[in-house]
Amino acid sequence: VWELKEEIGVHDMYTNVKAFKSKLIFFSRQISDKVFTHFATLATQKETIQNVKKYSKSLDDLHAEFCRRFSDVEKIDQSLQLVACPLSQNPETAPEEVQLELIDLQSDFVLKEKFSSLELRDFYASLNEATFPNIRRMAQKILVLFGSTYVCEQTFSVMNINKAPHRSSLTDEHLRSILRITTTKLTPDFDALAKKGDQQHC
C-alpha cells in the first residue's frame, strides 16, 4: 500500500507501480518453483505445496489487473522517463522534436548541476524557453498530471466545510476563490495587494 503523498507526481507514482508489477511476476515465478523466501508464513502452512498453482495464478491475475488499470499511463512511459531523468536518456531513441534539445541539455555542465540541486518542476522552469521549447512543453504536460488523488480529496473537503447550510449566501464565484486559495502553493504578496487596495480607495 502506498502512502498518500501531497507532492507525488505521476512519474513517481508510475515508478512505484512498475516496481510492484515486477515484484508480482517475481513472486509468482518463485511460488511456482516452490520457493517461499519472501513468504515466511506461507512456507509454514501444510497445504502450501499443493496450492502453489492457485497462489501463482492469483499473483498473475493481480499483475494483469495492474496492467489493465495503468495501461493509459504505460503509453506515456517514455515521456515520463525522459522528464524524470533527461540526463540518462538516449537522444537517438527520444522523440524527434526533443532530440537536439536533449543533446544540448546533456552537454551543459551548468544545467547538469541545476538538475541535481533543484526540484524537477523548478529545473524545467529554469530552462531557457527559446533554447528548450519542446523539452519544456513536454515537462509541463507531464508535471501537471496528478500522481495521487490528494488534491481532489483536499478540494472536496474544503468545499464541504465551506458550503454549509449556514453559509447559503456563498456564491459559486466566492467558492471557487476559496478553493483556489486553499489548494494553491502560491504565497500571495499581501503588501502589494494591500497597497493596490489603498490606491483604489483613494
Side-chain angles (χ1 to χ4, degrees):
V1 177
W2 295 298
E3 181 183 354
L4 190 63
K5 293 183 179 180
E6 179 178 353
E7 293 293 340
I8 189 171
V10 68
H11 53 285
D12 296 316
M13 176 273 293
Y14 195 55
T15 295
N16 292 333
V17 169
K18 287 196 295 184
F20 186 64
K21 285 163 58 179
S22 296
K23 289 175 184 177
L24 289 174
I25 295 174
F26 176 73
F27 291 152
S28 176
R29 188 180 300 117
Q30 280 208 326
I31 287 181
S32 293
D33 294 337
K34 300 176 183 178
V35 177
F36 306 104
T37 306
H38 302 285
F39 297 91
T41 302
L42 194 61
T44 63
Q45 305 302 309
K46 295 180 180 179
E47 65 276 10
T48 295
I49 299 299
Q50 64 191 41
N51 289 324
V52 289
K53 289 185 178 180
K54 172 185 173 183
Y55 300 146
S56 179
K57 184 180 184 305
S58 294
L59 291 169
D60 290 339
D61 290 344
L62 183 57
H63 177 268
E65 181 64 15
F66 262 74
C67 290
R68 185 186 69 80
R69 286 179 178 267
F70 291 94
S71 58
D72 289 341
V73 185
E74 187 174 359
K75 294 175 183 177
I76 60 170
D77 188 30
Q78 183 184 25
S79 297
L80 292 176
Q81 292 184 40
L82 194 151
V83 170
C85 306
L87 301 181
S88 61
Q89 300 302 307
N90 184 354
E92 293 186 8
T93 59
E96 293 180 356
E97 66 272 15
V98 300
Q99 287 177 337
L100 298 182
E101 294 178 20
L102 197 57
I103 292 174
D104 290 336
L105 176 60
Q106 294 175 352
S107 302
D108 193 315
F109 291 105
V110 174
L111 292 180
K112 285 183 178 180
E113 181 63 29
K114 275 189 175 183
F115 183 78
S116 62
S117 60
L118 294 177
E119 292 285 339
L120 207 54
R121 61 175 178 268
D122 295 329
F123 168 74
Y124 284 106
S126 72
L127 293 181
N128 186 291
E129 190 169 359
T131 308
F132 302 101
N134 294 312
I135 286 183
R136 278 174 55 96
R137 194 175 301 116
M138 178 181 289
Q140 288 170 350
K141 290 179 180 179
I142 295 300
L143 295 177
V144 297
L145 298 175
F146 295 132
S148 76
T149 58
Y150 177 88
V151 175
C152 295
E153 293 177 10
Q154 181 190 34
T155 304
F156 275 114
S157 295
V158 172
M159 184 177 68
N160 289 334
I161 291 171
N162 285 278
K163 200 169 184 179
H166 61 277
R167 302 188 69 181
S168 56
S169 61
L170 188 67
T171 66
D172 289 343
E173 183 178 353
H174 288 150
L175 184 60
R176 277 196 297 270
S177 298
I178 291 172
L179 294 178
R180 172 168 287 188
I181 291 171
T182 306
T183 58
T184 186
K185 288 292 182 184
L186 300 176
T187 303
D189 187 342
F190 292 108
D191 292 336
L193 291 172
K195 186 176 181 180
K196 184 178 180 180
D198 291 339
Q199 291 174 349
Q200 290 177 346
H201 288 89
C202 290

